Amino acid sequence: MTERRIDSLLNAMWEDYLTLNPDARRIHDLFAGLNNGVVINDHIALRTFNNDKVCLDKIARPFLEAGYQPKGDYRFDTKKLVAKHFEHEDPELPKVFISELLVEELSDEAQAIINSLVDQVDARDLDKDIFCYSGRHWDIPFAIYSQLLGESEYAAWMSAFGYRANHFTVSVNHLQSHDSMEALNQLLLDEGFSLNDSGGLIKGSPDVFLEQSSTMANRIAVDFSDRTVEIPSCFYEFALRYPLPDGTLYQGFVAASADKIFESTNVTGR
């Protein structure tokens, strides 16, 4: 994949994401106004199921073709997830964090529902770069979404929104206006944005070389097959990275912190 092609893909994912999270545009414009128009994206997060047809490696394909390399593996036992993150040698390109739900750890009923959803995905679509922001490939009634929500918020989110960026992330290291998460969070609160306070507003610490915070997901109207309901969609994250002993900035993720960031899309959170 050429540099222009990956830039085009990332830009298209951003525009799709903004349709689900209008707060992100307001926040991006807020920081752009304070930082000479420059807001650097630390990473993008994508979700999927560990079904062979749509597994993590399939979602990673366009990024691997663009020169991204796998760098870290993570597991979230409580949420029944595994994840990998990918980096490009070009530091201007965001890291990509892809997680997948361990479907076999859910109930037989939930497994059957998820497999029926995946069965409706045309395998040929996986060969297209736009699959990363292609949305939902199935019809689903609200009751089925609610049933999945009773077992896994992650599964329910996927059933409602399908394939698109779950969140983008502001690199606090590249902001001239703010050099601490406390100050950044206070600005967002003063501007009226709701923040994820699961485990505290700031997840992580300098001791683990990474601090993160995030908004709570916007609620938007989603068309299910039988009704339209407002549910949480996407959120905006903020990451401050600290130098390792060798002086280079830590580029990985901290599972305990990411576990709390996942809760930014909780239905009960906002």
Side-chain angles (χ1 to χ4, degrees), residues 47-50 74-83 97 99-106 114 148-149 151-156 158 166 196 198-199 203 235 255-267:
R47 295 179 172 187
T48 192
F49 303 114
N50 70 333
Y74 312 89
R75 184 177 180 93
F76 307 91
D77 291 326
T78 302
K79 292 181 172 58
K80 302 178 175 62
L81 305 172
V82 294
F97 183 94
S99 57
E100 64 180 2
L101 180 65
L102 302 174
V103 178
E104 69 277 7
E105 296 188 10
L106 300 181
I114 292 168
L148 288 175
L149 187 60
E151 284 199 46
S152 166
E153 181 279 330
Y154 186 108
M158 280 295 303
N166 172 259
N196 174 352
S198 177
K203 295 86 166 87
F235 59 92
S257 300
D259 186 76
K260 298 301 183 184
I261 292 290
F262 275 116
E263 296 178 18
S264 299
T265 52
N266 279 4
V267 170

Side-chain angles (χ1 to χ4, degrees), residues 3 6 10 22 24 38 67 126 128 135 159 199 207 210 216 235 240 246 252:
E3 182 175 340
I6 188 61
L10 295 172
V38 179
L126 272 296
K128 304 172 183 176
S159 75
D207 290 340
L210 177 64
M216 291 302 294
F235 59 92
L240 177 60
D246 65 4

Side-chain angles (χ1 to χ4, degrees), residues 1-2 4-10 12-13 46 58-66 124-135 137 163-164:
M1 182 186 291
T2 64
R4 176 178 295 181
R5 187 170 156 198
I6 188 61
D7 285 342
S8 177
L9 174 59
L10 295 172
M13 291 171 65
L46 299 169
K58 297 286 183 64
I59 306 305
R61 178 197 57 75
F63 303 101
L64 293 172
E65 290 180 357
R124 294 171 294 184
D125 288 341
L126 272 296
D127 296 327
K128 304 172 183 176
D129 294 347
I130 64 171
F131 189 79
C132 291
Y133 62 96
S134 59
H137 292 248
Y163 291 90
R164 59 229 312 183

Side-chain angles (χ1 to χ4, degrees), residues 31-46:
F31 284 117
L34 296 170
N35 293 273
N36 298 315
V38 179
V39 180
I40 300 298
N41 182 30
D42 180 86
H43 70 271
I44 302 169
L46 299 169

Side-chain angles (χ1 to χ4, degrees), residues 14 17-18 21-35 38-39 168-172 175 177-178 184-185 187-189 191-195 213-218 234-238 270:
W14 169 250
Y17 162 78
L18 291 178
N21 186 8
D23 276 359
R25 185 180 295 280
R26 292 173 54 207
I27 293 170
H28 181 277
D29 290 349
L30 172 65
F31 284 117
L34 296 170
N35 293 273
V38 179
V39 180
F168 279 68
T169 309
V170 173
S171 171
V172 181
L175 295 178
S177 59
H178 293 79
L184 180 143
N185 286 342
L187 172 65
L188 294 171
L189 291 170
E191 292 291 328
F193 296 104
S194 297
L195 300 184
S213 67
S214 63
T215 63
M216 291 302 294
N218 272 119
C234 301
F235 59 92
Y236 211 1
E237 187 183 329
F238 315 92
R270 184 177 178 186

